[in-house]
Amino acid sequence: TPPQVKTPPQVATAVAPTAADEFTARIRPLLDARCVECHAGDEPEGELAEGIELFRDQMRSEVLCARGVLVADQAVADLVANNLDVPRQHITVLPLPHAPRLPARLPPVLVPPPPAVLRIGYFGLLARHKGVNTLLDAFAALCRQAQSRPVELHVFGEAETPEFLVQARARVHRLPVTFHGGYSGDTLAAANLHLAVFPSLAFECFSLVLDEAFDLGLPVVVSDVGALSRRAGAAAVRVPPGDTDALRR
């Protein structure tokens, strides 16, 4: 029986899957270190290195089968071009469309001086790869310090699993942290936040929560990686992903 010939796709789209940022985790610059760490002891180091290169070559071949590649942000275009050696003219940046949660963008929030309370917010999926544990640990460390003002952390969003939510609550037991669950634009606005924090460990392809923060007029603290860092511009303070101490400061 002759082999079946499949028609190549017209366009390959690079997006971040909901569960684990699988696409970008494969090809980001930290790929080699991450793969070696995850598979240490499973196979000889030389074979693992060859497997990584083979996987990269195979993925590049798959991407080049398409007539074009759509990505949501320039940071992802750079990632694909630099790590897969895909020509820049093969890649088109097309920002993700989204419906705003608020009818109009609010004016910039002014952080009140001490001794007024400082309300910090996180919204989005509650998951390890989103840096939620890093945020909670940094906030716990902050609460152990002498403060010139009271601080509160408000966490909005559904957890990836019930177990993760239980563990997250335990990390900040008896601290001024409120888990609100699912949210809308109105509930975010009603929280009167002064600052939003998105300490993702993943290479975000776009980050819609950043748009939500800007619609609320909030300054942000973000991980210095991916589209999250690039799109935040001058409205952000950037910290290394996973660095609890830097986030606390």
Side-chain angles (χ1 to χ4, degrees):
T1 303
Q4 295 182 348
V5 178
K6 296 183 178 180
T7 303
Q10 297 293 313
V11 176
T13 306
V15 297
T18 302
D21 203 22
E22 179 181 2
F23 178 85
T24 50
R26 293 177 181 175
I27 60 175
R28 66 168 130 169
L30 296 180
L31 171 66
D32 293 4
R34 285 171 56 84
C35 286
V36 170
E37 178 182 346
C38 290
H39 295 278
D42 293 346
E43 55 188 297
E45 186 173 338
E47 292 184 12
L48 183 57
E50 292 179 3
I52 292 171
E53 291 304 318
L54 178 61
F55 185 88
R56 182 179 287 142
D57 290 343
Q58 289 175 335
M59 189 170 184
R60 179 179 185 274
S61 298
E62 293 174 3
V63 169
L64 291 178
C65 281
R67 295 185 182 181
V69 179
L70 292 181
V71 298
D73 186 77
Q74 186 59 47
V76 187
D78 294 341
L79 184 75
V80 173
N82 295 336
N83 287 274
L84 295 183
D85 195 25
V86 173
R88 294 281 176 164
Q89 61 269 25
H90 202 64
I91 305 171
T92 299
V93 177
L94 185 65
L96 294 180
H98 72 286
R101 289 181 181 265
L102 295 171
R105 176 166 287 192
L106 300 179
V109 171
L110 299 178
V111 178
V117 62
L118 177 66
R119 287 183 290 273
I120 303 169
Y122 169 91
F123 33 98
L125 177 67
L126 274 58
R128 187 200 64 81
H129 69 281
K130 293 295 187 179
V132 172
N133 288 341
T134 303
L135 171 60
L136 298 177
D137 290 347
F139 185 78
L142 179 65
C143 290
R144 289 193 293 268
Q145 298 178 191
Q147 298 294 324
S148 59
R149 66 165 81 200
V151 291
E152 300 173 357
L153 176 61
H154 295 265
V155 180
F156 295 85
E158 302 292 344
E160 59 177 352
T161 65
E163 293 77 16
F164 185 86
L165 180 58
V166 171
Q167 295 168 5
R169 290 180 180 275
R171 295 179 100 94
V172 288
H173 182 56
R174 294 183 178 179
L175 295 180
V177 179
T178 304
F179 290 85
H180 295 267
Y183 64 95
S184 65
D186 290 338
T187 55
L188 288 179
N192 294 317
L193 301 174
H194 301 122
L195 173 71
V197 183
F198 305 118
S200 182
L201 306 181
F203 189 110
E204 300 288 348
C205 287
F206 192 73
S207 188
L208 290 173
V209 293
L210 193 60
D211 294 85
E212 294 175 344
F214 290 161
D215 287 344
L216 291 165
L218 297 175
V220 296
V221 177
V222 301
S223 294
D224 192 13
V225 63
L228 187 61
S229 175
R230 195 205 69 79
R231 295 185 63 234
V237 171
R238 293 163 178 81
V239 296
D243 192 329
T244 301
D245 190 55
L247 187 57
R248 173 190 60 80
R249 295 195 301 268

